[in-house]
Amino acid sequence: MTVSESDFHVRPVQDAGKAVLSERPVIEDTITSMNGNHHGNTDGDSNAGLDGHINISRETRIATSIRNILEDMGEDPNREGLLKTPERYAKAMLFFAKGYEETVYDIGKDAIFNINHNEIVLVRGIEVFSMCEHHLIPFIGKVHIAYIPNGRVLGLSKLARIAEIYARRLQVQERLTKQISQAIEDLLQPQGVAVVMESVHMCMVMRGVQKSSAMTTTSCRTGVFKTSRAAEEEFQFLLKLKQN
């Protein structure tokens, strides 16, 4: 089933900025602001813009900043071991934030199918890696996604892709959990959605309290998962099943 953008009913996410389908203009505005020139080249090599100013790629700007940070740490960014570190770090940061360049509509528009199925669909153990916006330190976890269809289902791999889109942004776990849930709600209008996420935060392991065994769990439920005890109990039962 192919859907158009007008088929989506998108609601705002708490603390999440713009709604799913209006994210791309926000991204473009952000990149424009970073470049200081609306006509700048954001990803390629440096070049002269229409106003004669030099537009430098995001990767180059990040690498330059990292060189300065290394110097402020007392390191020599010109020594052999660090010579290419700023460029590597810049590429890594852009990869960690690549989710800003995609929307749920982009990945879901050709993967929605009319299926007469009204029981729980659960994909569990989706590995995600994200960057905490408070410390720029990673958190690593697993997402369990369940929904009860209302005449439409989504290709299973797209559930993992949705989690990936939002994980590859500067995040907090609470918002990430809610964004995944809302995205599925907006795509399918199902009977209900349940998302549970379990993560280890490196900001608690590597620094601060340094508690390596601490696990953070967040959840978000909509529709029948909030109103039906039977649906919630079945979801919990399926989560606890051992995978062979």
Side-chain angles (χ1 to χ4, degrees):
M1 174 182 178
T2 301
V3 296
S4 65
E5 191 163 345
S6 62
D7 292 327
F8 289 82
H9 304 281
V10 182
R11 297 165 289 104
V13 179
Q14 182 179 2
D15 298 325
K18 298 293 184 179
V20 172
L21 293 181
S22 57
E23 284 173 342
R24 194 174 296 281
V26 176
I27 298 164
E28 292 172 351
D29 290 343
T30 301
I31 295 174
T32 298
S33 175
M34 290 172 62
N35 282 335
N37 185 313
H38 184 74
H39 300 286
N41 179 8
T42 60
D43 292 307
D45 296 329
S46 304
N47 57 66
L50 296 178
D51 57 2
H53 289 87
I54 298 299
N55 302 316
I56 304 173
S57 71
R58 288 182 293 165
E59 184 177 315
T60 300
R61 291 199 301 274
I62 294 171
T64 300
S65 298
I66 295 303
R67 286 181 61 85
N68 292 333
I69 290 173
L70 289 171
E71 289 178 348
D72 289 340
M73 291 171 59
E75 270 287 0
D76 176 11
N78 293 314
R79 71 176 175 85
E80 183 180 5
L82 294 176
L83 196 57
K84 294 186 178 181
T85 297
E87 288 75 15
R88 294 190 188 102
Y89 186 89
K91 288 186 171 102
M93 286 301 296
L94 291 174
F95 176 78
F96 294 151
K98 70 185 181 73
Y100 290 113
E101 300 171 0
E102 298 179 289
T103 70
V104 171
Y105 172 75
D106 291 334
I107 69 164
K109 60 185 178 181
D110 297 321
I112 297 175
F113 309 98
N114 291 317
I115 300 291
N116 184 21
H117 180 80
N118 58 3
E119 302 294 337
I120 291 178
V121 176
L122 169 65
V123 177
R124 54 183 187 172
I126 300 171
E127 294 183 344
V128 292
F129 305 85
S130 195
M131 187 74 73
C132 176
E133 64 184 36
H134 299 310
H135 306 286
L136 292 186
I137 296 176
F139 61 95
I140 303 167
K142 291 185 177 182
V143 179
H144 316 291
I145 302 174
Y147 70 96
I148 300 179
N150 191 20
R152 305 201 301 178
V153 300
L154 184 67
L156 293 177
S157 67
K158 304 306 180 184
L159 295 174
R161 288 286 305 278
I162 288 172
E164 178 79 359
I165 282 177
Y166 289 108
R168 294 302 185 184
R169 304 180 181 189
L170 298 184
Q171 279 290 9
V172 295
Q173 182 175 332
E174 297 87 345
R175 182 200 301 141
L176 174 55
T177 306
K178 188 172 182 66
Q179 285 178 325
I180 294 170
S181 175
Q182 182 187 303
I184 298 166
E185 183 84 17
D186 293 334
L187 278 171
L188 298 177
Q189 291 89 55
Q191 297 180 52
V193 179
V195 176
V196 174
M197 182 173 181
E198 304 166 300
S199 297
V200 174
H201 290 251
M202 292 299 105
C203 62
M204 293 181 64
V205 175
M206 300 169 60
R207 60 178 296 280
V209 294
Q210 300 181 58
K211 302 301 180 184
S212 60
S213 61
M215 178 77 69
T216 301
T217 302
T218 51
S219 68
C220 182
R221 289 163 174 76
T222 70
V224 294
F225 286 107
K226 294 183 71 172
T227 61
S228 170
R229 182 175 179 179
E232 173 63 19
E233 288 179 347
E234 183 179 359
F235 172 58
Q236 293 295 335
F237 171 76
L238 293 175
L239 274 184
K240 293 175 182 177
L241 284 178
K242 290 185 178 180
Q243 291 179 315
N244 297 322

